[in-house]
Each structure stands twice: as structure tokens, then as C-alpha cells.
Amino acid sequence: MSGPDLVIEGCAVVTVDAAGTEYRDGWVSVRGNVIEAMGPGRAPAFGPETRRIDGRGCLLTPGLVNTHHHLYQWITRGVAADNTLFEWLTTLYPVWARIDEKSVRVAASGALVSLARSGCTTTSDHHYVFPRGGGDLLAAEIAAAREVGLRFHPARGSMDLGRGQGGLPPDEVVESLDDILAASAAAIEQWHDPAFDAMTRIALAPCSPFSVTAELMRESAALARAHGVRLHTHLAETDDELDFCRENFGCTPAEYMARLGWLGDDVWFAHGVHLDDAAIAEMARTGTGVAHCPTSNGRLGAGIARTAELVAAGVPVGLGVDGAASNESSSMIEEPRNALLYARAVGGPHAMSVRAALELATMGGARVLGRTAEIGSIEPGKLADLALWRLDTPAHAGIEDPVVALVLGAAPPLAVSLVDGREVVRDGVVTTVDEVGVGIEVATAQAALLGS
């Protein structure tokens, strides 16, 4: 047999596998879109058909997995910078009511480029704003993800509870129950790929307890489970949401989800900041996951999630940048650092280790998205989604432990990123699209949207 297609060599390797395998000097080989082998020391003397990447001075990790985002918000960054969540939403809903297929394609491209440059190889997206006459917004972001080259889990979101019915969003951005279910079924039929190496998988994602009806939640769950796709929603993000659920449903947000049949190993919630002991225990028992979004939670003053306690209880926990309008940097490599700092701020220095933080950003995210057999760690047979970080910069010189340098040091430049075995980033630049052109399009789209 001929040698592998690619070998990355001479680098530190952190596999994030169950045994915690690490090499201070090692190599990883790739055949096609799959990791073939790895080991310490010098790589085997493969033949001339094998492309070699010199990883000296670098750390190789699994690609980072982003479990919660709103790509369309990339063209509304910097708005309502000092507001609470509900104030922020009521300010931005009228703006978002004007998005269309073209602007979403541009916004998604900008957001995905930023994610790629920060080591993300798999991202979910929760798109829930579908203005009438706006075109096929889901198709627009899927097209952008395919062009940039990230593995993509778009969640077809929805809202059917407008202000006229006691909800938060304006009536012009909500849809009818029948239209939502029809569009959700069509999205699954057209886009969902259950294959091992799928680049696109669909989830269904009614937006939040204060923007959807109980009937939509139940019907979406039934539809998703009939087709074997996952379920996602916002939950327990702020005190305002707790008050809303107690006033309208007579229970906590988590109790409301249990009442609706929205607990299980096919469900993950965004945020989960305000969860009590009973909710954590029930989520652990049912395998219900959480997308922890520390940067966004801090930006909106939502509070600090009980991340260490969630992990200790056995709840699947991944990390998310959240929408770019509540996390303007949308840098995935910042999230493990912020998750660690927030956990230690409330729980002390032993609440979370640097390696546990990296695991949240990799295997934790894979677990939340139901892809632990495919991504999240560097192991033979898994998909070649890899991030090679430069740690030989002046900012990292002298930090002996490469994982400490990555998680606690300045965000390092990305030497190479592979998704499905394909190079997406080289020397800090996304190679699949014209970054400068994307930036110009983003600025133009944002000026048009905010100025209209």
C-alpha cells in the first residue's frame, strides 16, 4: 500500500482521547479524510506521494467544535452593546426583520471565516428569523458553509409566539405552526446527511420559551424524532426568562422542557446559566446536553453557568461562541479560556483544569452534537478535522506546557487547519475564500441593513 496522503510531524500532539494521550514531539498521518495513524518521535519515512507539514514549534489538537451560533448576526455586531438580553432582543428584532437570502449568505460567510481562523472545524448554527419574502435563508448559510469548508450543523429555528400573543418578538418575524413544520420537514429531506463523514446535518430548533408555543415545541420534537435528527433551543439564559416561565407556565424553564418531552440524549440547550440542582440531575439522567457560551453570557450580563457542576454530574457540555451580535469576536479559541476563568471565578482554582477546558471545546462539543465516533479527538479512524497552532511566537515563549500556552496564553496563530482532510486555513489565512472580499461584502451589507 502507498503511504498516507499527508503527515503532520515534529509537533506536540494533544489527542483528547479517553486515555489523555499526548506527545511532546509526535506525528499524525491522514489518508483521504480520515486519520490513519499517529505516534511519538520521528514520523515513518513515507514515500514521495506523502505531503509533509512541518509542525515544529506547534501544537496539534482536534479541530474545535462550536455548539451554538447565529451566523446571520455577523452583520449586526456592535448594536445594543450595553443592554440586557430582553433589551438587546427588542432593539435588534426590527433590524433582523429586514434580512434576506443575500444578506444571510454574506453574514454567514463572514462569521464562518472568523470561526475557521480561530480553529473551529465544526459549527452548529441556530437560525430562527425568517422574514416573509426573505428567500431561502437556510440554503444561503449552507452554501456559505460549503464554500468556506466547515463541517456544518444548521438548526432550522422557528418562532410562532409574537407580541400579539404574549411573546417577545414582533409579529412580522414569526411564522405559523403549519409553515414551520412544513419548512422543517423540507429542510430535513433536502439537507440532512446521516453518513459517518457528513458535512451537513440538520437539527430542529424552536427559539426559546418566550418566542414559541408549547404546541410548536411538541410538534417539532415529534417531527425530529420521526426523522432521527437532533433538537435544540435556548434555555435558562437569564433571570428574565426564569420570571417569564414562572409567570406563564408556573414552573422553571427546565421543568417546562420536561413537561414538553424536551429532555433526552438527542437534545441540547444553549446557555443553561440558571439551572438548579434538580434540573442538572435530570439532564444528567437523560443525557441532555448544554452549549455553554461564556463570552456571550458575560457580554449580556446573563450570569455564570454552573459548568463544573454540570460536567461533574455527567451532563454533556460543549462550548459555543453564540451569535456575533452578543460576541463580536466570535473566536472559538477564546471560549475554553473564558469557560475556565468563569468556572474558577466562582469555584476556585481547582474548578476546571486547562485540559478540561480544551476537552469542552473538542470532545465535549462532539458529544453534544452526537458525533463522538467521528470528531472531537485525534484517533485512527476518526475524521481528519485538525488544528495546528503556532506556539513559537514571542507571546508564548517560555510557557513550558503547550496546553497551558494554548488555553491561558494569547490566542495563537493557526498554522494549518484541516476539515475532512482538506486544508481550510494556512498561516492564519482562510484559503478557501477571499477574506478581503468577504470583509468588504460584510461591511456593505451591515451598512445597508442598519441604515435602511
Side-chain angles (χ1 to χ4, degrees), residues 259-318:
R259 185 186 302 174
L260 297 173
W262 265 70
L263 295 176
D265 61 6
D266 57 349
V267 179
W268 85 102
F269 299 137
H271 303 295
V273 174
H274 300 279
L275 296 171
D276 58 22
D277 291 346
I280 291 174
E282 187 64 8
M283 289 173 64
R285 185 187 70 80
T286 57
T288 306
V290 170
H292 175 38
C293 305
T295 305
S296 175
N297 293 159
R299 202 282 206 179
L300 290 170
I304 299 177
R306 300 170 63 185
T307 314
E309 292 161 279
L310 287 162
V311 172
V315 175
V317 179

Side-chain angles (χ1 to χ4, degrees), residues 108-195:
S109 295
L112 290 161
V113 164
S114 178
L115 287 173
R117 293 178 77 250
S118 65
C120 179
T121 55
T122 296
T123 184
S124 63
D125 185 60
H126 186 184
H127 191 94
Y128 55 86
V129 178
F130 292 89
R132 297 176 184 88
D136 194 339
L137 307 189
L138 197 67
E141 63 174 15
I142 290 171
R146 289 182 172 179
E147 184 177 26
V148 174
L150 296 194
R151 204 174 298 281
F152 194 35
H153 282 237
R156 205 294 177 181
S158 52
M159 299 188 293
D160 70 336
L161 187 68
R163 286 180 190 161
Q165 297 174 281
L168 192 66
D171 292 336
E172 61 266 26
V173 298
V174 302
E175 302 172 277
S176 72
L177 175 65
D178 289 344
D179 286 346
I180 291 167
L181 295 176
S184 298
I188 296 169
E189 174 66 26
Q190 183 172 4
W191 301 113
H192 184 67
D193 182 359

